[in-house]
Amino acid sequence: MSRNSFAFPTASSLFLRRLVSHFREQSAIVRTAADWTVLLYIIIPGGLLGGRFYYGFWNGEMPHWITYVPFMILPALLAILLANGGIVLLLQEGDLLFLRQRQNWINTIILRGMIYSLIVTALKVAAVFAVLLPFLIRGYGVSAAAAYGLLALTITSSWCVKLLGHIVKVQRQGFRRWLWLIPAVAVPCGVYLRLSVYWKDSPVLLFAAAAGFALVAAAAFRTRLRLRGTFMNDVREDYKQRMRIAAILLRSVLDKPRPTRYKPWIFRKSQPLLASKEPESRFSAAAVKAMLRNPAHFKLYLSFTGVALVAIFIVPAVLKWLLFIILISLMAYWLSSFWLLFSGDDYIGILPFTKVQKADAGSKAMPILLMPFAVLCAAVVCIPAYGWWGLLLFIPVGAAAAIWIGRIFSAMRFAR
């Protein structure tokens, strides 16, 4: 059959169709937040006012606050821009099925997607650099040649950061990804920041550094084209980049979805937490693990602990013990509410636990969950007030308070 009989006879036509769909998708996302009529009332006056200020920065007097701002702030702003964003490859899940036998088509889409992403990155950097240009030249006395060299350095370093970060993201998962992102993203940004500050008056050195970044970016570009076995990670990262605008618009409306984890951070082998093999002890241990493994609950626990420690530390000594009891009681009330929510879950209802067993299990879990908070609060009370004696007292005092208050709230809130 002739190639012309297909909707997309070549990989280039398929990529062009996906690029057009990508533009439509992004514009549709923006239109869901604001109508174009509303945007015109903002863009037109804002553009005119911004243009007037920009013209004044070039031809009028510079604002006085520029003398108090160090030059490092401008490269730091550009470095933040470099560290954000990524590569859009325009791959789709269906390619794994329909383009399985056409690896050259997938390679063409990846190649053109990377070129498109690097062009967009260069345009973004150039736009931001154009806004900062009058401050560089007139405010800090940077020559025109040095400004062009700094622009070249910024663009090439942005290419290097985007490509290296993308390679790490599609090959690593979990904490290993963050460990590899340090040399892949943080190190190039740090080198860029240092070179732009120390060589701002040396155009030749800036262009030489830009050439070095371009060589690293070319090597990373070639490495990315040779990667194999990362298709699903490519699709996942591509989807994240395409949904960046939607994520920004919905950040204050929807909660961030929890990432998929194949193993928990804590108790990875699900080892027994308590020595006793009684059903109540196993139930208590499950509640403790559920608290520590849930990011929202664990973050709230740590946040309240930090606020409580600061509050106890800053109040006068005569009020520390009173605030200590109040804060532990508040934490115990929240933990008892967590236990009621956990024990009342539909999944837990499948297990044949009676009310008495649930209450006994909650009575065991409460002191365990309350213990770290109580011991830390006791340390902030005892050590400043009693010195060396406080080092010996804070652990038994905190443990006793956790057991005592935990049992009180267990008796009050857990029905038998």
Side-chain angles (χ1 to χ4, degrees):
M1 297 177 65
S2 174
R3 280 191 173 186
N4 296 328
S5 60
F6 294 96
F8 304 104
T10 61
S12 301
S13 60
L14 178 59
F15 174 80
L16 182 60
R17 171 61 182 272
R18 291 186 178 180
L19 185 60
V20 173
S21 299
H22 174 66
F23 290 151
R24 291 176 179 173
E25 181 183 60
Q26 300 303 309
S27 62
I29 292 173
V30 175
R31 285 198 302 270
T32 58
D35 186 74
W36 285 114
T37 306
V38 178
L39 289 178
L40 287 178
Y41 284 103
I42 300 176
I43 294 175
I44 294 178
L48 294 175
L49 184 62
R52 175 63 185 87
F53 278 110
Y54 192 74
Y55 178 82
F57 292 152
W58 278 112
N59 298 281
E61 293 184 359
M62 295 295 295
H64 296 289
W65 52 262
I66 196 67
T67 57
Y68 302 102
V69 178
F71 174 78
M72 183 182 292
I73 296 298
L74 299 187
L77 294 175
L78 294 172
I80 294 174
L81 178 64
L82 303 185
N84 290 312
I87 300 295
V88 176
L89 300 179
L90 297 179
L91 290 174
Q92 297 180 1
E93 293 88 343
D95 293 341
L96 185 62
L97 176 63
F98 296 103
L99 297 184
R100 182 74 174 179
Q101 305 300 326
R102 293 180 177 268
Q103 185 63 41
N104 58 333
W105 279 46
I106 295 180
N107 293 339
T108 301
I109 294 175
I110 292 176
L111 172 63
R112 293 176 181 251
M114 287 195 295
I115 294 175
Y116 160 75
S117 299
L118 296 182
I119 292 174
V120 172
T121 299
L123 293 177
K124 290 180 180 179
V125 170
V128 175
F129 196 87
V131 174
L132 300 177
L133 194 58
F135 300 98
L136 289 171
I137 294 179
R138 300 195 65 213
Y140 296 101
V142 177
S143 63
Y148 286 122
L150 185 59
L151 175 60
L153 177 64
T154 306
I155 291 176
T156 54
S157 60
S158 67
W159 290 347
C160 182
V161 169
K162 296 295 188 297
L163 290 170
L164 292 177
H166 175 76
I167 292 174
V168 171
K169 291 176 182 178
V170 299
Q171 287 187 303
R172 298 287 186 263
Q173 298 293 330
F175 74 95
R176 295 182 182 87
R177 170 188 288 190
W178 297 105
L179 292 178
W180 279 94
L181 282 177
I182 294 175
V185 176
V187 172
C189 288
V191 172
Y192 162 78
L193 185 60
R194 187 176 183 87
L195 296 182
S196 60
V197 171
Y198 284 95
W199 292 353
K200 67 182 181 68
D201 298 322
S202 303
V204 177
L205 295 178
L206 289 175
F207 279 109
F213 272 111
L215 292 177
V216 176
F221 193 96
R222 185 178 180 182
T223 301
R224 178 61 190 87
L225 290 177
R226 293 182 174 182
L227 283 182
R228 294 294 182 269
T230 61
F231 180 82
M232 297 308 299
N233 291 337
D234 293 337
V235 173
R236 185 194 67 244
E237 292 299 325
D238 197 56
Y239 181 77
K240 287 183 180 179
Q241 296 303 323
R242 289 190 285 112
M243 291 292 106
R244 283 178 63 87
I245 297 178
I248 294 173
L249 296 177
L250 298 176
R251 182 173 298 174
S252 59
V253 180
L254 300 176
D255 295 331
K256 183 178 180 181
R258 293 173 58 185
T260 301
R261 291 199 177 119
Y262 301 100
K263 290 184 179 180
W265 286 98
I266 305 175
F267 305 111
R268 296 175 66 87
K269 297 182 180 180
S270 192
Q271 61 270 29
L273 184 60
L274 301 177
S276 176
K277 295 183 179 181
E278 296 180 356
E280 293 82 358
S281 299
R282 295 294 179 90
F283 197 14
S284 302
V288 174
K289 293 179 181 180
M291 163 66 74
L292 298 178
R293 289 172 175 175
N294 189 299
H297 291 156
F298 190 54
K299 182 179 179 181
L300 183 59
Y301 188 98
L302 294 179
S303 301
F304 188 79
T305 302
V307 173
L309 295 178
V310 174
I312 294 175
F313 182 77
I314 63 177
V315 299
V318 294
L319 298 177
K320 288 184 183 294
W321 283 112
L322 177 61
L323 188 60
F324 172 76
I325 299 298
I326 294 174
L327 291 175
I328 293 182
S329 300
L330 290 175
M331 176 62 82
Y333 181 82
W334 176 68
L335 290 175
S336 62
S337 300
F338 164 76
W339 170 260
L340 293 175
L341 182 65
F342 174 78
S343 61
D345 188 82
D346 293 337
Y347 180 77
I348 299 298
I350 301 175
L351 303 176
F353 284 108
T354 63
K355 283 188 176 182
V356 175
Q357 288 178 314
K358 289 184 178 181
D360 292 340
S363 301
K364 292 183 178 181
M366 280 289 293
I368 298 175
L369 292 172
L370 196 57
M371 191 76 66
F373 175 80
V375 169
L376 291 176
C377 291
V380 179
V381 174
C382 294
I383 294 176
Y386 307 111
W388 290 105
W389 285 104
L391 292 174
L392 301 176
L393 290 175
F394 80 91
I395 294 179
V397 169
I403 296 173
W404 179 57
I405 297 179
R407 288 180 177 178
I408 290 177
F409 275 84
S410 299
M412 292 171 54
R413 304 204 65 193
F414 300 157
R416 293 179 178 272

